[in-house]
Amino acid sequence: MPTIKFTANLKRFYPTLTAVHSDALDLHSILEELEGQFKGLRDYVVDEQGQLRKHVNIFIGNELIHDRVKLSDPVQPDDEIYIMQALSGG
């Protein structure tokens, strides 16, 4: 099962957010599963068109995903997926 991990800054909105396992075979399906467990989380990750937000990066292993529009990147059972929000400010 792929393991999904998150940056700590999402914990302020979802205090119980920890690494999650999924049976999904692509990134889009993983995000749908996460929404079922953590209502509203998907809105932090994708925009109104379902595309990855500009301030969010997702890595499968050590590689940045390729499809930021349809989120169709495949995942393997032993993959680790990292969802990261960029921090900005001054």
Side-chain angles (χ1 to χ4, degrees):
M1 288 185 168
T3 303
I4 302 94
K5 298 181 177 182
F6 308 90
T7 53
N9 60 325
L10 281 173
K11 286 195 173 220
R12 70 180 170 163
F13 302 111
Y14 300 94
T16 61
L17 188 64
T18 60
V20 176
H21 297 284
S22 172
D23 290 323
L25 300 176
D26 63 54
L27 196 53
H28 181 267
S29 299
I30 286 174
L31 292 175
E32 292 299 317
E33 281 185 17
L34 289 173
E35 179 63 21
Q37 294 177 22
F38 303 99
K39 295 288 183 209
L41 179 64
R42 191 172 192 280
D43 292 336
Y44 285 102
V45 178
V46 299
D47 64 16
E48 296 78 21
Q49 289 80 39
Q51 300 177 14
L52 195 64
R53 291 189 180 276
K54 292 180 188 204
H55 68 279
V56 174
N57 285 315
I58 299 178
F59 289 83
I60 299 175
N62 293 327
E63 292 194 31
L64 192 60
I65 65 167
H66 299 285
D67 184 3
R68 294 181 64 90
V69 176
K70 294 183 182 177
L71 305 170
S72 64
D73 292 65
V75 296
Q76 302 301 316
D78 60 342
D79 281 340
E80 288 190 343
I81 297 150
Y82 303 93
I83 298 177
M84 303 177 177
Q85 288 184 291
L87 299 177
S88 62

